[in-house]
Amino acid sequence: MSETSTPTTRNESEKPTIIEIRNFDFAYGDSQALFDINMDIKEKEVTAFIGPSGCGKSTFLRCFNRMNDLIDIAKIKGGEIKISDVNIYDKDVDVIELRKHVGMVFQKSNPFPKSIYDNIAYGLRIQGVKKKSALDEVVEECLRGAALWDEVKDRLNESALGMSGGQQQRLCIARALAVKPKILLMDEPCSALDPIATAKVEELIHQLKKEYTIVIVTHNMQQAARVSDKTAFFYIGKLIEFSKTDDIFMNPKDPQTEAYISGRFG
Amino acid sequence: MSAKKATHAFSKRPSRQKSFETFIAGFYRVATYLVIIAAGYIFINIAWNGSKAVFTTKAPFINIAFLTQKPQTLHVYEPKEIYNELKSINAQIVSTKAKSKALGSGEKEQIAMFKADVEALEERYEMLDEERKEGRLMYSDSEYRKLDESPSEELYAYNNYAYSGGGIGPAIVGTCLLVAGSIAIALTLGVLCAVYLSEYSRPGRMLQAIRLSIMNLSGVPSIVFGLFGFGMFVLFFGWGVSMIAGWFTLAIMALPVIITASEESMRAIPKGFREGSLALGASKWTSIRTNVLPYALPGILTSSIMGIARVAGETAPIMFTAAFALRDQLPWEGLKEPTDFFFQGVMALPYHIYVVSAKIPQNEYTRNMQYGAAFVFLFIVGFFALSSIVLRVKIRKKYKW
């Protein structure tokens, strides 16, 4: 996978911005978690967030589909996040529509205790799609999209919990694809996986990049280097450095970034 | 200290702590066995005595009359000769005992003589009693009315005993109706409340206060619930002593258990399921409906049905609200309008047991009714408990994580 660590830079300037973050401040109760973050995330690129534990990168990711709404004390202090030029924290934004647009894959793979088929079909069923043929089509499409079809096509009606950890995580990705999002958020998707399963997920990320904008949080710097086009380094709630992955890893501008990626802390 | 006996590093050495531990373990074991013995005694006693009323020696081996008929007055004809002799023997025993008591402690010979007399009389009494039991004629009310002519008064002594004949049919039906209705009401209210508390409400002082008061509610004595139901449903709402008043009273009494259990089952569902479905664009309610409630259902059902079964055994809450001591008609008989079904009082097993045990004169015939009713009641409660377990196992198999 070494050839993929060099992101395609030639048409980078042509890619439009899909997520635009301006002066974003975020707090849990009285303790501020994110300070004044500015960032442009380009369409159909992989953007990686790295940083030590507790630096706010997961919190930041969960702001993109307003998952933080579930936490009572979470509060936006200032600034805005625009997705496709719409401020997603506007009052007239329907969170449900937003989440259909911005899919998410969690750190701990969380397939529902249902069959593989039902897991994929879930996103459509809750939208009221009942037609078997339509569901069949989407299930196959998504499983193929997540490179899982050949492994599970004979046991679609078996419980998703009988799959291996890596398969479960790819199932969660497939499930997220079923609602046809534009953006896919991944919160440390490989942290519980072995190297082979991780390689498969990374491979999948490369394929998905053609159609989806992907934002991935990772603890693993090699992974960031392997899969991402851009990398953002966070430290104690602040965005320290954000640029092309090559630049960050080859010649970081900030001394803190350099210290982190060279393994001196974190 | 015992180093001389130790042959290797891990050989056993006695110590005070070890013997103390053995003692403690034995103590726990004894306590457990005591509980098991007590429970076993109660169950076996009720089952043994109750089975006499419920089962028969002839096919079909189940006393269908007892399970289906209404409680009736029992008309008993006993052979007059034996009846009179028994009476006189009884009188003799009493007088002999009185005489023996009047004697001073010095006259040991006399006392011993009286004692022998009493023993002889008692032996004779028992023998005659067996004969009486064989020779007697017993009719329940309905049978009695069908008789062409009653047995001759010259040969037979006649007595009647209320509530001692017939069966407990209406009480069984009434109890089942009460349980079913209160399950429906309590589950609906309880689950709605639990969903709100565990999924929607914001944590804080208010929520803690609500939880605390719900828990306190489970400590309220059942008679208080009964009086509350009487005041609220029977008098204030004007429902009268009726099934629906009993449903609501029982349901309110079972609510604390159901709410607490349901809330706990729901909070035991991993957060990932909720987040997973929300992230797929499910609304909050959709996420709860599809990804929380189904998985919490086994826990909710089990504890709820157990809670209801326990509450259904209470006499106090239905005493003023729903139960009749005696009702001739079954609940679906003689209804003028369909709504009357809800506004009629019913017989119920726990109250019936109370009536036949405490409200009527005791005699040898009521005993059968008491144990029979208790046995059937235990059986019904056991059936509910068992069905809840079966239900849980079945649903648990469907959703496993």
Side-chain angles (χ1 to χ4, degrees):
Chain A
M1 249 169 280
S2 55
E3 81 281 356
T4 55
S5 63
T6 52
T8 45
T9 48
R10 47 199 154 75
N11 53 0
E12 190 252 320
S13 53
E14 295 162 24
K15 284 183 179 167
T17 299
I18 187 162
I19 309 177
E20 191 182 338
I21 302 109
R22 290 286 169 267
N23 304 86
F24 192 68
D25 285 317
F26 183 87
Y28 291 117
D30 292 331
S31 67
Q32 191 154 351
L34 296 170
F35 299 87
D36 194 30
I37 292 177
N38 288 286
M39 189 188 264
D40 284 335
I41 292 172
K42 304 284 181 197
E43 205 175 349
K44 294 186 184 172
E45 270 190 359
V46 179
T47 307
F49 292 175
I50 60 170
S53 298
C55 68
K57 54 193 189 306
S58 280
T59 300
F60 188 42
L61 189 77
R62 292 164 79 92
C63 288
F64 295 166
N65 66 348
R66 289 180 59 172
M67 257 348 225
N68 284 329
D69 288 11
L70 303 183
I71 300 161
D72 289 313
I73 54 169
K75 218 192 277 163
I76 314 291
K77 290 277 204 184
E80 57 183 19
I81 297 178
K82 279 185 175 175
I83 292 179
S84 306
D85 286 327
V86 179
N87 181 1
I88 59 168
Y89 283 94
D90 256 357
K91 276 203 179 105
D92 64 345
V93 167
D94 186 349
V95 186
I96 292 171
E97 291 304 321
L98 172 72
R99 287 182 187 149
K100 281 189 215 159
H101 192 82
V102 185
M104 187 163 199
V105 177
F106 295 85
Q107 176 174 9
K108 203 167 161 274
S109 65
N110 56 352
F112 305 134
K114 306 175 180 190
S115 71
I116 295 171
Y117 184 97
D118 288 342
N119 260 282
I120 309 280
Y122 181 85
L124 292 179
R125 282 204 177 123
I126 57 174
Q127 290 175 25
V129 179
K130 287 204 182 83
K131 234 171 99 187
K132 184 87 168 65
S133 59
L135 289 175
D136 284 347
E137 200 178 303
V138 170
V139 168
E140 181 172 348
E141 186 191 318
C142 292
L143 284 173
R144 279 188 195 283
L148 206 57
W149 176 252
D150 293 329
E151 291 167 56
V152 301
K153 66 182 171 198
D154 298 323
R155 49 183 184 127
L156 288 177
N157 289 318
E158 283 172 35
S159 170
L161 299 169
M163 307 166 87
S164 72
Q167 284 176 330
Q168 287 190 10
Q169 193 59 291
R170 278 182 287 149
L171 178 75
C172 290
I173 296 175
R175 188 175 69 184
L177 298 182
V179 290
K180 304 216 159 33
K182 293 278 173 301
I183 302 166
L184 210 49
L185 309 174
M186 296 187 179
D187 191 356
E188 300 186 33
C190 302
S191 66
L193 302 184
D194 63 69
I196 293 169
T198 303
K200 283 197 172 160
V201 172
E202 287 177 5
E203 210 173 300
L204 177 59
I205 292 173
H206 273 292
Q207 285 166 21
L208 294 174
K209 197 171 87 174
K210 289 167 200 149
E211 286 179 58
Y212 303 93
T213 308
I214 295 172
V215 185
I216 178 170
V217 166
T218 176
H219 256 113
N220 182 334
M221 278 177 284
Q222 283 74 38
Q223 183 172 58
R226 280 195 299 266
V227 301
S228 67
D229 302 309
K230 298 258 182 69
T231 299
F233 172 63
F234 287 84
Y235 185 59
I236 334 181
K238 294 192 178 87
L239 176 60
I240 305 294
E241 193 167 345
F242 175 51
S243 63
K244 277 184 231 153
T245 302
D246 276 359
D247 292 347
I248 282 237
F249 282 96
M250 298 303 178
N251 41 18
K253 292 190 182 67
D254 194 283
Q256 280 173 313
T257 317
E258 197 198 344
Y260 182 70
I261 60 173
S262 59
R264 255 176 279 155
F265 80 101
Chain B
M1 45 185 175
S2 55
K4 56 187 173 187
K5 272 187 96 181
T7 51
H8 56 81
F10 305 119
S11 51
K12 285 182 180 168
R13 295 180 185 86
S15 75
R16 276 188 69 182
Q17 201 194 341
K18 275 180 195 161
S19 43
F20 181 69
E21 272 192 21
T22 319
F23 169 74
I24 285 289
F27 192 67
Y28 291 148
R29 177 177 294 214
V30 168
T32 312
Y33 287 168
L34 274 179
V35 171
I36 292 172
I37 288 168
Y41 176 74
I42 293 169
F43 281 120
I44 290 169
N45 185 26
I46 291 178
W48 176 250
N49 288 306
S51 57
K52 286 180 196 162
V54 178
F55 299 110
T56 56
T57 48
K58 280 172 260 160
F61 301 111
I62 293 174
N63 192 346
I64 290 170
F66 180 72
L67 296 179
T68 54
Q69 280 183 358
K70 293 145 197 160
Q72 296 175 19
T73 303
L74 190 67
H75 302 265
V76 182
Y77 288 91
E78 287 159 332
K80 207 161 199 173
E81 271 177 45
I82 302 176
Y83 181 77
N84 287 338
E85 200 179 340
L86 281 173
K87 248 186 180 174
S88 77
I89 291 175
N90 218 358
Q92 281 177 49
I93 291 175
V94 171
S95 72
T96 320
K97 273 186 179 166
K99 273 184 212 159
S100 147
K101 234 181 203 170
L103 291 171
S105 55
E107 293 151 288
K108 279 186 182 156
E109 271 177 39
Q110 281 270 342
I111 289 178
M113 217 174 71
F114 279 137
K115 207 177 167 192
D117 278 354
V118 169
E119 269 167 25
L121 283 169
E122 274 173 353
E123 212 170 286
R124 170 109 180 104
Y125 186 95
E126 265 166 41
M127 213 180 67
L128 279 174
D129 204 42
E130 287 298 315
E131 255 176 69
R132 176 187 65 95
K133 277 181 187 164
E134 276 164 33
R136 76 186 163 187
L137 302 170
M138 292 192 288
Y139 304 103
S140 68
D141 229 11
S142 49
E143 291 166 336
Y144 184 68
R145 269 187 234 122
K146 277 185 222 147
L147 287 181
D148 295 330
E149 50 178 331
S150 45
S152 75
E153 275 182 43
E154 308 202 337
L155 288 176
Y156 288 100
Y158 168 75
N159 270 309
N160 62 32
Y161 305 98
Y163 285 97
S164 301
I168 52 170
I172 295 175
V173 170
T175 291
C176 290
L177 282 175
L178 280 175
V179 171
S182 50
I183 281 184
I185 293 172
L187 260 187
T188 316
L189 275 178
V191 171
L192 288 179
C193 185
V195 167
Y196 179 75
L197 287 180
S198 92
E199 307 292 326
Y200 286 97
S201 64
R202 283 163 182 275
R205 286 252 174 88
M206 192 65 190
L207 189 65
Q208 275 176 343
I210 292 174
R211 286 223 177 92
L212 195 70
S213 54
I214 288 173
M215 278 188 190
N216 275 336
L217 205 61
S218 63
V220 173
S222 54
I223 187 76
V224 176
F225 279 105
L227 287 172
F228 163 77
F230 181 68
M232 182 90 172
F233 303 121
V234 177
L235 298 180
F236 185 70
F237 288 175
W239 291 345
V241 173
S242 60
M243 202 150 71
I244 192 167
W247 283 350
F248 276 95
T249 312
L250 287 178
I252 287 176
M253 209 179 145
L255 269 181
V257 179
I258 293 183
I259 293 173
T260 318
S262 309
E263 219 194 316
E264 257 157 42
S265 326
M266 267 184 271
R267 269 191 291 170
I269 306 300
K271 224 172 103 196
F273 293 165
R274 296 183 179 87
E275 286 187 336
S277 61
L278 287 176
L280 289 170
S283 66
K284 189 152 191 169
W285 166 236
T286 312
S287 151
I288 294 168
R289 182 170 53 81
T290 56
N291 262 324
V292 178
L293 279 181
Y295 313 142
L297 206 59
I300 294 176
L301 283 182
T302 319
S303 41
S304 302
I305 295 177
M306 293 289 248
I308 292 274
R310 204 188 64 76
V311 165
E314 296 274 2
T315 311
I318 53 170
M319 204 152 82
F320 310 122
T321 55
F324 282 165
L326 185 63
R327 189 156 189 270
D328 264 347
Q329 286 169 319
L330 287 171
W332 48 83
E333 286 172 350
L335 295 178
K336 283 194 191 107
E337 284 172 55
T339 48
D340 284 352
F341 181 75
F342 302 103
F343 294 99
Q344 57 179 341
V346 288
M347 289 187 68
L349 277 172
Y351 189 59
H352 187 66
I353 295 170
Y354 167 68
V355 168
V356 291
S357 322
K359 290 289 244 191
I360 56 169
Q362 298 297 297
N363 55 62
E364 58 184 297
Y365 304 103
T366 48
R367 199 178 149 78
N368 218 16
M369 297 302 287
Q370 294 159 12
Y371 274 109
F375 179 61
V376 170
F377 189 44
L378 260 188
F379 187 82
I380 290 177
V381 171
F383 171 78
F384 273 109
L386 196 72
S387 64
S388 82
I389 292 169
V390 170
L391 210 62
R392 175 173 62 174
V393 170
K394 270 199 167 168
I395 304 177
R396 197 82 178 81
K397 255 188 203 157
K398 204 170 145 201
Y399 300 112
K400 217 174 185 179
W401 69 86

